[in-house]
Amino acid sequence: TILGETHEEEDEILPRKDYESLDYDRCINDPYLEILESMDNKKAQRYEAVKWMLVFAIGVCTGLVGLFVDFLVRLFTQLKFRVVQSSVEECTEKGCLALSLLELLGFNLTFVFLASLLVLIQPVAAGSGIPEIKCYLNGVKVPGVVRLRTVVCKAMGVLFSVAGGLFVGKEGPMIHSGAVVGAGLPQFQSISLRKIQFNFPYFRSDRDKRDFVSAGAAAGVAAAFGAPIGGTLFSLEEGSSFWNQGLTWKVLFCSMAATFTLNFFRSGIQFGSWGSFQLPGLLNFGEFKCSESDKKCHLWTAVDLGFFVLIGIVGGLLGATFNCLNKRLAKYRMRNVHPKPKLVRVLESLLVSLTTTVVVFVASMVLGECRQMSSSRHSGNDTLSLQDISEDVNSSIKTFFCPNETYNDMATLFFNPQESAILQLFHQDGTFSPVTLSLFFLLYFLLSCWTYGISVPSGLFVPSLLCGAAFGRLVANLLKSYIGLDHIYSGTFALIGAAAFLGGVVRMTISLTVILIESTNEITYGLPIMITLMVAKWTGDFFNKGIYDIHVNLRGVPLLEWETGVEMDKLRASDIMEPNLTYVYPHTRIQSLVSILRTTVHHAFPVVTENRGNEREFMKGNQLISNNIKFKKSSILTRAGEQRKRSQSMKSYPSSELRNMCDEHIATEEPPEKEDLLQQMLERRYTPYPNLYPDQSPSEEWTMEERFRPLTFHGLILRSQLVTLLDRGVCYSESQSSASQPRLSHAEMSEDYPRYPDIHDLDLTLLNPRMIVDVTPYMNPSPFTVSPNTHVSQVFNLFRTMGLRHLPVVNAVGEVVGIITRHNLTHEFLQARLRQHYQTI
């Protein structure tokens, strides 16, 4: 069926691209805690106050970005419509409508061409940006997603896309723009503007940046719809994967700042009344109320809830169909358009613009119905009462191709800004025939589906709302005409239809409910909207995912869901971990570190020591291995001492193993065990992993004993830290003590954040490859770990809720046997391992 999807289709199109994970778990000394430890309470409060000031600044800047986009969109759109309208009125009498069409094509193709060129400059600026921000907040680094150049191309491109007549909205890109502002403003520097840099060492970590991005995304929603609470819930429900209670208040404050900044300037510019706050967002649904002359009319009744449920079911089906068609188009583009030169993407955008313009013009001329304007309302509801509607809605009526005292209902929808068309469907009564609404819905549905995904900045909220509003208005007209329900208020059904279709496409519930309530300023619509959205989501989820999740999967991003399936508890951590480890020693030669970094793409490495039976012999002959063995013994003694104190406080006795460790300050050489080493490893559920000597590069000539040698786990160190240590020449010679190695502060370690140098770009000719690097001061000595027998659901919850990047698997005696990353917890990977599990049973 058209709604059916198979896993084979998804696997076929998934690009095999490795995405780097963001460092949300703090693998080095936490800068925030480091600063607070050196501060008194007053200084700590000032530091927290800086966060509040930055959050406020993010909201203000996001509101100003929305003001800039809205002002230029209105300017370009009004200029285009005035020229085209005057041309159509003249050519209707002279018979030169082809010239009017060419003028409209000239405007639209020029604007769309400029939008496509901006996307060529920054490809990540295409689309709405919501899938990319969702991936970023989930912990995946999408290249260029929060750069200054991205927000410039996004803001400029979306105003050209909307002014170019494409069926796209500017509200979705506002979310991306707000997220970029949130990511860049607290850093006080930019790659695009290298000369503008301030000495501001705070908030230079992925974790802090993520919190600011969450606030910026919420501010984008608040500025788009005038819904600060809805923006906060959107960031919580759809965007952020990791949340804390302290962040909620900051995000709400940021959303409020964005809403009132945009409201202040828009109200002052448009009405000349500064401080009146009459325009809360870019999209405002207006006031819903029945006419005073119609005593039978009600906004909604209990009987209408049944119709709302049916509208929700149909909206879910339409949304699933929209997503399925758009997914097939996206796959086609990935196979046939994206591999070709970039000019082909521009040509595709121009083709969509050309088709859209011709369809709009021809449909308004041929399919539009000329309807009589009257100052009184007739019983048939076929005419428009000019006394009962607002001046703004009335001024958007178009008379294209119609004689005097009549208006063109199709042109009224097509030849208006999308926000004005939504207001027409919400607040006009008797202006659109069922045939016009049906044709408008069908054309808008198909063209919107085709448009979303081309190489221009484009949003999906407003096209979905307009398409759904036409469907809801159609249902209201049919109920009035054929069933005789005179109490129905058409605007309510248009709003419910808009909510049903939008919910069926994006599959949001709580945040979308609040956004629509705040946009309508009518709390009585809460229950109908909530019921409709839930039904639409359940219906759509039966067939496929939401549109944003579909595009995330098509990009091959390892996005973590909220939870795993119940059947995944059949798996353990040992079933999904990566056993082939590449690790470093506490003291490692530079040549080994360079070899590891240049031959692998891992972003973190376990710091381990080998469990040798002849340690005394190595300590006598090899200074490097002696340093590692001494570090291991001191580490074991420290952990054993802590265990003894803990046991004594509980009035119990430590295990014999720990007691022996504590009693012997220098471990004696244990007699060789009788059992075969390989058999021991297999019985303890070890999996082979390569061994890497501290003073040697990787070799394929390892013996089986070397491959299965147990490794004591001491901590994790990041690739960026190792590269920074090599770049700064942090090392010591074998004839010196490790205490002579230079020490870097946290500010020095994070100076190159967020773009650390690449190992292949470093000039290491001045470093002696036999020099030794002591990584213990910079590693994370206490990362989260799990046992090999831990259930996958527990592993997933720990990884997901704590925002981890790497999760080592450590057995009962402190030996690392594998590592788990987000790739090992994706739905596709878990399904594959579950199938293997069933095959081995």
Side-chain angles (χ1 to χ4, degrees):
T1 63
I2 192 172
L3 300 179
E5 297 183 16
T6 62
H7 291 289
E8 288 75 12
E9 290 180 343
E10 295 180 356
D11 295 338
E12 178 185 357
I13 197 63
L14 285 179
R16 303 305 175 191
K17 179 179 179 180
D18 293 330
Y19 283 86
E20 181 181 353
S21 298
L22 290 165
D23 183 22
Y24 287 169
D25 55 326
R26 306 181 191 268
C27 289
I28 55 178
N29 292 332
D30 189 321
Y32 182 68
L33 297 179
E34 182 179 310
I35 294 171
L36 292 185
E37 288 174 358
S38 61
M39 291 181 177
D40 54 21
N41 290 334
K42 291 185 178 180
K43 291 183 178 180
Q45 291 175 0
R46 294 174 188 169
Y47 181 79
E48 186 70 13
V50 174
K51 275 190 172 181
W52 283 94
M53 294 172 60
L54 288 174
V55 164
F56 176 76
I58 291 170
V60 171
C61 292
T62 303
L64 294 178
V65 171
L67 178 69
F68 167 78
V69 173
D70 180 68
F71 176 77
L72 290 184
V73 166
R74 289 177 178 272
L75 180 64
F76 292 155
T77 303
Q78 290 176 2
L79 174 64
K80 180 185 71 173
F81 282 147
R82 285 178 182 176
V83 173
V84 174
Q85 182 174 0
S86 62
S87 176
V88 169
E89 292 175 354
E90 293 179 4
C91 290
T92 301
E93 300 176 356
K94 298 180 180 179
C96 57
L97 289 177
L99 181 61
S100 301
L101 176 60
L102 291 177
E103 290 182 356
L104 184 60
L105 282 173
F107 276 106
N108 289 346
L109 293 178
T110 301
F111 288 145
V112 173
F113 178 72
L114 293 175
S116 298
L117 288 183
L118 290 170
V119 170
L120 292 184
I121 297 175
Q122 189 69 1
V124 77
S128 65
I130 295 178
E132 289 80 5
I133 295 301
K134 184 176 181 178
C135 295
Y136 184 91
L137 294 176
N138 192 262
V140 181
K141 177 179 284 187
V142 181
V145 70
V146 290
R147 291 189 59 181
L148 176 62
R149 188 167 62 180
T150 301
V151 71
V152 172
C153 294
K154 194 83 172 185
M156 296 294 296
V158 72
L159 68 90
F160 287 129
S161 299
V162 176
L166 294 178
F167 291 167
V168 299
K170 56 181 181 290
E171 282 69 22
M174 277 299 303
I175 300 171
H176 190 183
S177 300
V180 178
V181 172
L185 188 61
Q187 301 300 314
F188 289 96
Q189 64 179 13
S190 172
I191 288 185
S192 303
L193 303 174
R194 297 181 183 273
K195 295 183 179 180
I196 301 178
Q197 290 189 357
F198 298 91
N199 186 16
F200 191 75
Y202 310 123
F203 312 123
R204 299 185 61 77
S205 67
D206 287 334
R207 192 183 186 99
D208 290 325
K209 182 183 285 189
R210 179 204 67 201
D211 292 344
F212 288 120
V213 169
S214 299
V221 178
F225 297 97
I229 300 177
T232 304
L233 292 176
F234 174 86
S235 184
L236 173 62
E237 177 189 9
E238 189 69 14
S240 300
S241 299
F242 317 104
W243 199 265
N244 59 75
Q245 187 175 4
L247 183 62
T248 306
W249 192 234
K250 294 185 179 69
V251 171
L252 180 60
F253 180 64
C254 184
S255 301
M256 288 288 185
T259 299
F260 285 99
T261 299
L262 182 63
N263 197 346
F264 175 79
F265 284 101
R266 286 193 69 202
S267 301
I269 294 173
Q270 185 164 343
F271 297 105
S273 177
W274 296 92
S276 59
F277 298 104
Q278 302 178 45
L279 298 173
L282 299 180
L283 179 62
N284 188 17
F285 294 160
E287 183 180 1
F288 288 78
K289 64 177 182 179
C290 293
S291 173
E292 297 179 357
S293 59
D294 192 352
K295 302 300 182 182
K296 297 181 179 180
C297 175
H298 300 282
L299 289 183
W300 66 278
T301 62
V303 177
D304 298 335
L305 287 177
F307 296 110
F308 296 160
V309 171
L310 295 178
I311 291 176
I313 294 175
V314 178
L317 293 174
L318 292 173
T321 305
F322 184 95
N323 294 351
C324 182
L325 293 176
N326 188 263
K327 178 181 179 180
R328 296 180 184 275
L329 284 171
K331 288 183 178 181
Y332 178 83
R333 290 189 179 104
M334 296 176 68
R335 295 192 186 101
N336 302 285
V337 178
H338 293 176
K340 295 182 179 180
K342 294 182 178 180
L343 181 61
V344 178
R345 304 185 188 183
V346 178
L347 294 177
E348 183 196 15
S349 302
L350 294 177
L351 176 61
V352 174
S353 176
L354 175 65
T355 305
T356 302
T357 304
V358 173
V359 168
V360 167
F361 194 89
V362 174
S364 300
M365 182 174 60
V366 177
L367 303 178
E369 181 178 343
C370 295
R371 304 172 68 84
Q372 184 71 31
M373 287 191 294
S374 175
S375 60
S376 61
R377 185 188 303 261
H378 296 276
S379 59
N381 286 335
D382 292 331
T383 58
L384 173 66
S385 175
L386 299 179
Q387 299 175 352
D388 296 333
I389 61 177
S390 66
E391 182 180 354
D392 293 336
V393 175
N394 184 42
S395 62
S396 61
I397 292 177
K398 302 299 179 182
T399 60
F400 289 173
F401 319 115
C402 289
N404 295 333
E405 300 300 327
T406 60
Y407 64 94
N408 189 320
D409 58 353
M410 186 72 77
T412 300
L413 295 177
F414 273 134
F415 275 89
N416 269 312
Q418 297 179 73
E419 292 81 0
S420 299
I422 291 177
L423 291 177
Q424 287 281 346
L425 292 171
F426 283 171
H427 301 295
Q428 291 281 25
D429 190 15
T431 54
F432 310 105
S433 67
V435 176
T436 298
L437 291 173
S438 301
L439 293 174
F440 176 81
F441 169 79
L442 180 62
L443 294 175
Y444 217 94
F445 179 93
L446 296 176
L447 290 175
S448 298
C449 185
W450 186 20
T451 304
Y452 188 74
I454 63 175
S455 294
V456 296
S458 58
L460 194 60
F461 275 89
V462 173
S464 299
L465 288 172
L466 185 53
C467 198
F471 165 70
R473 188 61 180 267
L474 174 62
V475 173
N477 286 5
L478 295 178
L479 291 177
K480 281 186 176 183
S481 302
Y482 296 98
I483 302 182
L485 299 179
D486 295 333
H487 72 280
I488 286 180
Y489 179 58
S490 300
T492 299
F493 276 75
L495 176 64
I496 296 301
F501 188 83
L502 182 58
V505 172
V506 301
R507 311 291 164 76
M508 294 190 301
T509 51
I510 301 176
S511 59
L512 188 55
T513 300
V514 178
I515 288 172
L516 294 177
I517 291 175
E518 289 185 283
S519 298
T520 58
N521 198 25
E522 187 62 57
I523 191 62
T524 58
Y525 280 141
L527 181 61
I529 292 175
M530 185 179 299
I531 293 176
T532 303
L533 288 176
M534 286 196 309
V535 173
K537 175 179 170 57
W538 292 339
T539 304
D541 286 342
F542 185 78
F543 299 100
N544 50 33
K545 296 183 178 180
I547 188 68
Y548 301 135
D549 293 326
I550 288 176
H551 281 266
V552 167
N553 291 336
L554 290 178
R555 288 175 172 83
V557 179
L559 190 75
L560 297 185
E561 304 292 341
W562 286 103
E563 58 186 8
T564 60
V566 179
E567 68 278 3
M568 293 302 170
D569 270 343
K570 296 181 174 63
L571 300 177
R572 299 291 192 272
S574 58
D575 298 322
I576 65 171
M577 70 182 183
E578 176 57 47
N580 298 314
L581 297 175
T582 301
Y583 45 84
V584 299
Y585 290 83
H587 301 264
T588 309
R589 295 196 190 278
I590 287 180
Q591 63 179 9
S592 295
L593 289 180
V594 173
S595 177
I596 292 172
L597 295 173
R598 287 181 175 176
T599 56
T600 63
V601 295
H602 307 311
H603 297 288
F605 304 92
V607 180
V608 302
T609 52
E610 295 182 1
N611 296 335
R612 299 176 179 269
N614 50 353
E615 290 181 348
R616 288 181 177 272
E617 198 174 319
F618 278 101
M619 293 180 68
K620 294 178 181 179
N622 191 314
Q623 179 66 27
L624 175 61
I625 299 181
S626 175
N627 288 343
N628 288 327
I629 293 175
K630 288 179 180 179
F631 175 80
K632 183 190 73 170
K633 291 185 176 297
S634 63
S635 177
I636 291 177
L637 289 173
T638 301
R639 292 200 304 268
E642 293 176 355
Q643 180 66 21
R644 167 179 285 182
K645 293 178 181 179
R646 189 180 302 111
S647 300
Q648 291 175 351
S649 64
M650 297 172 61
K651 298 182 179 181
S652 59
Y653 295 94
S655 64
S656 59
E657 181 181 1
L658 292 178
R659 186 165 59 249
N660 292 336
M661 287 183 181
C662 295
D663 294 338
E664 300 177 10
H665 293 283
I666 300 179
T668 59
E669 181 179 354
E670 298 180 358
E673 298 182 4
K674 298 181 180 179
E675 299 182 10
D676 180 59
L677 182 62
L678 175 60
Q679 185 63 29
Q680 293 180 30
M681 298 300 105
L682 293 176
E683 290 179 357
R684 293 164 71 179
R685 299 188 67 179
Y686 276 95
T687 309
Y689 46 83
N691 178 52
L692 191 65
Y693 290 108
D695 53 350
Q696 294 181 0
S697 298
S699 173
E700 296 181 358
E701 300 178 355
W702 295 319
T703 63
M704 185 63 67
E705 179 180 350
E706 291 170 341
R707 289 180 180 274
F708 281 91
R709 180 173 292 138
L711 303 170
T712 301
F713 179 72
H714 298 287
L716 276 178
I717 189 164
L718 297 177
R719 167 182 287 269
S720 59
Q721 296 172 263
L722 293 176
V723 173
T724 301
L725 294 177
L726 293 175
D727 187 31
R728 302 295 181 91
V730 179
C731 55
Y732 68 95
S733 64
E734 195 165 7
S735 60
Q736 297 175 327
S737 170
S738 60
S740 62
Q741 175 177 282
R743 294 296 178 94
L744 298 181
S745 65
H746 174 266
E748 293 173 319
M749 288 291 293
S750 60
E751 185 176 345
D752 296 324
Y753 177 84
R755 294 169 182 85
Y756 295 97
D758 188 83
I759 185 62
H760 299 282
D761 300 331
L762 295 184
D763 183 12
L764 304 175
T765 56
L766 299 179
L767 293 179
N768 185 353
R770 303 293 296 176
M771 298 284 282
I772 303 171
V773 178
D774 181 9
V775 302
T776 56
Y778 308 100
M779 71 178 184
N780 180 11
S782 56
F784 288 95
T785 60
V786 293
S787 167
N789 294 320
T790 307
H791 289 279
V792 164
S793 60
Q794 294 175 283
V795 174
F796 188 90
N797 291 335
L798 175 63
F799 200 99
R800 186 72 161 76
T801 55
M802 299 308 299
L804 302 182
R805 184 179 182 183
H806 311 92
L807 186 59
V809 182
V810 180
N811 63 13
V813 293
E815 296 168 347
V816 61
V817 296
I819 195 166
I820 296 174
T821 64
R822 64 173 43 248
H823 290 274
N824 303 105
L825 294 173
T826 57
H827 179 75
E828 293 78 10
F829 186 88
L830 292 178
Q831 288 290 343
R833 289 304 171 93
L834 188 61
R835 288 193 292 267
Q836 293 179 5
H837 174 77
Y838 285 137
Q839 292 174 359
T840 57
I841 294 179

